[in-house]
Amino acid sequence: MIKLFRSFNPLNIVWLAVVLFALRIGFAYNFPVKTEFPFTELFSRLLIPVSYQSVIPPVFNLFFAGALVFGQAMLINYLVNHNNLLGRSTFLPALMYIVVSGLFTPFLMLSPPLLCNFLVIWMLYKVFNFYKGEEVKSISYDAGMIVAVGTMIYLPFIYMFVAIWIALIIFRPFNWREWAASIIGFITIFFFLAVLYYLNDKLGQFYNIWLPLGTKFPASISINYYNYLVLVPVIFILIFCFFKLQQNFFKSYVQTRKSFQLLFFVLLIGGFSFYVRSGFLLDHFLLCAVPAAVFFAYYFLYANSRWFYESLFFLLLISIIYFQFNTF
């Protein structure tokens, strides 16, 4: 299957849809009776005061989530190929995103992190232009606004603002105006939100929306490790990818090296920002799916031993489907 997606063949779009369906069949078999979709963070509910968490039937919830994942996969594929991150055009980024976004059953339903992945892709598209642009203050401003919009949807997304500054460090010589532009862009969105609170005589509540950011990082997390055995092939793929990146690091273009450095930090930021939410919820880690998909694609594009990488990918697919039927 990997060999099929290594080529940039439009017919692979059909196969992508097949893989998307196959990775959701186990969840459809054990379909929940009721699902909830907490669309916005607490402070955004001022804009949407009605109760909406359970308005989407489970069947449509699963369908819409699958449609969003498919659309995001195509956008990631365009992003990677447009910036030539892998050295040649391929459909592997789209395939890997569909696979990564199906790792756990909470990933398969509509959630704020799933919506925010559109903003992650958009933000990356913006900041990758830091390398080429001579005047990037407007791009930095736009990126700050994108993070602010994502924060209104899902509060932990606020840490993606750090990724903008990391991108400025990686791609640009220091220019305080470019750094300030990102702050102004972020503040612009929340200035209008504060005005809305003021017009509704709730300005005193505006402070409360930031309180979760002061949550202490948890010392321990109670999880069922059996349900996370699916991560074993994921960890191996990431390790092999980093070895492959190290081998080809100085053979790659400067922009490609810098882009992968940024993706690594985005992966870390997405993973470690989970503590802001009350409780440990797996759907948060969908924020890691975009950079993880690019790393996966890089390994499978440059892996040499076909029997090994095909077997590893098949093991990953089987693990995902198995744990969908056997979740404890």
Side-chain angles (χ1 to χ4, degrees):
M1 181 178 291
I2 295 298
K3 185 178 180 180
L4 175 67
F5 285 94
R6 278 183 167 186
S7 62
F8 191 71
N9 186 344
L11 289 178
N12 286 338
I13 297 176
V14 178
W15 289 110
L16 284 173
V18 173
V19 174
L20 182 72
F21 175 78
L23 291 178
R24 280 155 174 75
I25 190 171
F27 185 67
Y29 178 79
N30 297 313
F31 212 62
V33 177
K34 182 180 179 181
T35 59
E36 290 189 355
F37 178 38
F39 180 77
T40 52
E41 289 292 346
L42 178 62
F43 51 92
S44 298
R45 295 185 183 184
L46 181 65
L47 306 175
I48 312 173
V50 298
S51 179
Y52 48 80
Q53 284 89 340
S54 303
V55 297
I56 303 178
V59 174
F60 290 103
N61 193 315
L62 180 63
F63 174 80
F64 289 145
L68 291 180
V69 167
F70 190 83
Q72 290 169 354
M74 299 307 298
L75 290 174
I76 293 171
N77 209 71
Y78 173 79
L79 174 72
V80 172
N81 292 332
H82 177 74
N83 290 279
N84 197 31
L85 296 185
L86 301 182
R88 66 174 186 262
S89 296
T90 173
F91 266 100
L92 282 176
L95 173 65
M96 294 304 149
Y97 182 75
I98 286 177
V99 172
V100 172
S101 62
L103 280 175
F104 301 104
T105 52
F107 287 11
L108 305 180
M109 306 299 287
L110 289 173
S111 64
L114 179 60
L115 293 181
C116 284
N117 273 349
F118 281 110
L119 299 175
V120 172
I121 298 168
W122 192 9
M123 183 191 71
L124 289 174
Y125 182 82
K126 289 286 185 180
V127 298
F128 282 157
N129 289 325
F130 284 169
Y131 182 79
K132 301 177 181 178
E134 296 182 1
E135 179 58 51
V136 301
K137 289 193 292 292
S138 61
I139 300 175
S140 182
Y141 179 84
D142 292 343
M145 293 185 69
I146 291 171
V147 173
V149 172
T151 304
M152 292 181 64
I153 299 173
Y154 184 60
L155 185 59
F157 194 81
I158 191 174
Y159 286 104
M160 285 298 170
F161 189 85
V162 179
I164 301 176
W165 282 3
I166 292 176
L168 288 170
I169 294 173
I170 293 175
F171 290 115
R172 307 285 301 174
F174 179 75
N175 184 332
W176 69 269
R177 294 179 179 85
E178 296 170 357
W179 290 59
S182 62
I183 299 175
I184 296 172
F186 183 88
I187 292 176
T188 299
I189 298 296
F190 281 96
F191 170 78
F192 288 108
L193 182 64
V195 170
L196 185 59
Y197 268 82
Y198 173 76
L199 294 176
N200 286 270
D201 295 325
K202 295 181 179 180
L203 189 59
Q205 299 179 15
F206 188 72
Y207 167 79
N208 296 331
I209 69 179
W210 309 105
L211 293 180
L213 297 177
T215 304
K216 293 183 178 180
F217 199 85
S220 61
I221 301 173
S222 178
I223 58 177
N224 184 350
Y225 290 100
Y226 180 84
N227 292 336
Y228 299 93
L229 290 177
V230 69
L231 292 178
V232 173
V234 171
I235 294 172
F236 275 106
I237 293 172
L238 283 176
I239 292 174
F240 293 146
C241 170
F242 291 142
F243 274 116
K244 188 64 66 174
L245 278 170
Q246 184 182 28
Q247 293 174 3
N248 299 333
F249 188 75
F250 292 106
K251 300 178 184 178
S252 306
Y253 293 110
V254 174
Q255 181 183 4
T256 301
R257 297 202 298 263
K258 291 178 179 291
S259 297
F260 274 99
Q261 290 173 19
L262 175 62
L263 288 170
F264 176 73
F265 283 108
V266 172
L267 181 68
L268 292 181
I269 293 169
F272 284 102
S273 59
F274 74 92
Y275 78 96
V276 177
R277 294 184 73 174
S278 58
F280 181 76
L281 300 176
L282 270 176
D283 60 1
H284 167 85
F285 296 96
L286 268 172
L287 293 179
C288 302
V290 174
V294 181
F295 285 124
F296 278 33
Y298 186 91
Y299 167 70
F300 284 111
L301 183 62
Y302 289 101
N304 297 320
S305 181
R306 183 180 178 184
W307 71 268
F308 181 77
Y309 66 71
E310 291 283 4
S311 300
L312 186 59
F313 182 70
F314 180 74
L315 176 63
L316 177 60
L317 294 181
I318 294 300
S319 300
I320 293 173
I321 296 174
Y322 173 80
F323 282 101
Q324 286 179 7
F325 281 98
N326 299 273
T327 301
F328 295 85

